Structure formats: structure tokens, C-alpha cells
Amino acid sequence: MTTEMKSKIRPIYSELQGYLSQAPKSNNIIYEEACWNQVNQTIAELKTVCGISFDKFLIEPHKDNKEQYVERDTFRLILGGLISRLHGEYFSDELAPFRGMPSTIKTQNEQQIKSVQMFLDIQSKIIDSSKQFDEGSKEKKFIDKLKGSLSTVSNVNDLIKLCLKLAEEFGVGLATVLKIFS
């Protein structure tokens, strides 16, 4: 897609996000025709700019007696779907407009998996290096305490602080700590 096309679609994309952000959050029914008419006009404009039909996202009001209305959840669902579709087709290289979009979730899961893998690797290193030192030595006591305290560590900074604190507590030098992790 050309930069020119993207720049033509961006204002419409932003406009739709604006409509969604201002959509009623408390009333279950929307009676103001202007709400869905404006969105439908924007969808028609999008079709003109892109040359692609987005008619499946047109908001069709219900008719009850003489009044027309749209259910709030339907209104929000349609707008959210259209915005997500535009993001996927034209702006996937940018941050997703909504929290919890699949790509965001995937990235968070990947980060969590990497973090867990890193701590498992560290735990494995500690267990392996534990065999190098004599039972009752300050190094062995340091390793045992470190191994037992890993559950309190939630990030790398905590791990470093814990290692330094325990190294000082047991009189283990930096060279020994490095040897454990190498």
C-alpha cells in the first residue's frame, strides 16, 4: 500500500476511533439517528477512498413502533470490528488501537515465555554449579540460599539485587558469582 493511500485512510480511521470512544457506555439503546448515520456516511467515504466495500459494517437500526434504535453493544461491536479490520489491512505496522488485540496478547505471551525460560535457565545454572562446591562451604551456602530465594524474584533487577545481597551475606566474591553463572 502506498503512503498516499495510507494518508487518505488515516483521517477516516481516526474518525471511526473517535466515534467509538464517544459511543454511549451506559445506555443500552441509542435512539439518536445521527450516531449511526454519521458512521454509515464515514463507511461510504471509506469505500470511495479505498475502492473496497465495507458495507458489512453499515449500522442498520431496528424499528420499534415509530422509533428507530441501535443497541449500544452492536454499535460498539461493529465500530470496533471495522477499526480492527482497518488496522489489520492498512496500519498493522503501528500499535493496535485497542488493548488486548491479538498481536498485543501474542507479544505479552512471548515476553512472559522468554522471562520464564530465562529464570529456568538461571535455576538450571545454579543447580549445576552447586555440584562444584563442597558441602558446608560459603559458596555452597550461598547457592542453596539463592536457589531457595528464586521464587521471590520477579525480574532481572531483583535477581541481581538478591545475588549481591547474598554474596555479601556469605562473603562470596564477585568472581565466584560470575563462575556460578558462566
Side-chain angles (χ1 to χ4, degrees):
M1 177 182 57
T2 66
T3 307
E4 181 182 343
M5 177 63 84
K6 200 171 179 177
S7 67
K8 286 180 180 179
I9 295 169
R10 184 175 304 285
I12 298 169
Y13 178 61
S14 296
E15 183 178 344
L16 291 166
Q17 289 180 38
Y19 294 145
L20 182 59
S21 73
Q22 297 304 310
K25 292 179 174 96
S26 58
N27 300 337
N28 290 329
I29 304 293
I30 301 170
Y31 291 103
E32 296 82 19
E33 289 182 42
C35 289
W36 62 81
N37 285 340
Q38 188 67 36
V39 170
N40 288 344
Q41 288 172 4
T42 304
I43 292 170
E45 181 183 356
L46 184 62
K47 182 178 181 178
T48 302
V49 169
C50 297
I52 299 170
S53 174
F54 292 92
D55 289 351
K56 75 177 188 176
F57 295 102
L58 290 171
I59 298 174
E60 299 293 328
H62 299 285
K63 294 181 183 175
D64 184 20
N65 295 328
K66 294 181 180 182
E67 288 187 309
Q68 291 188 50
Y69 67 92
V70 173
E71 293 173 357
R72 176 203 63 201
D73 292 342
T74 302
F75 184 82
R76 296 178 66 79
L77 177 80
I78 290 171
L79 270 173
L82 177 55
I83 292 165
S84 294
R85 171 80 179 268
L86 292 173
H87 177 265
E89 285 193 30
Y90 301 103
F91 304 100
S92 61
D93 58 331
E94 299 176 11
L95 289 176
F98 308 118
R99 297 170 92 201
M101 291 270 292
S103 62
T104 305
I105 292 168
K106 181 179 174 188
T107 302
Q108 289 171 344
N109 287 344
E110 287 171 353
Q111 288 171 346
Q112 288 172 343
I113 289 168
K114 286 179 184 177
S115 180
V116 167
Q117 185 61 49
M118 180 185 71
F119 282 107
L120 290 173
D121 290 346
I122 289 168
Q123 189 174 32
S124 177
K125 284 263 190 210
I126 291 169
I127 291 168
D128 289 346
S129 65
S130 176
K131 299 169 189 169
Q132 299 174 17
F133 301 100
D134 295 331
E135 205 57 52
S137 68
K138 62 183 180 181
E139 292 86 359
K140 180 75 169 165
K141 289 178 183 175
F142 165 79
I143 291 171
D144 289 342
K145 180 76 174 204
L146 181 60
K147 193 171 30 173
S149 301
L150 279 179
S151 63
T152 65
V153 173
S154 60
N155 57 47
V156 175
N157 287 337
D158 289 348
L159 177 65
I160 293 169
K161 287 177 191 175
L162 178 63
C163 283
L164 293 174
K165 177 183 166 220
L166 293 177
E168 184 178 1
E169 182 180 324
F170 290 98
V172 174
L174 185 57
T176 303
V177 174
L178 291 173
K179 182 178 176 184
I180 291 168
F181 290 105
S182 58

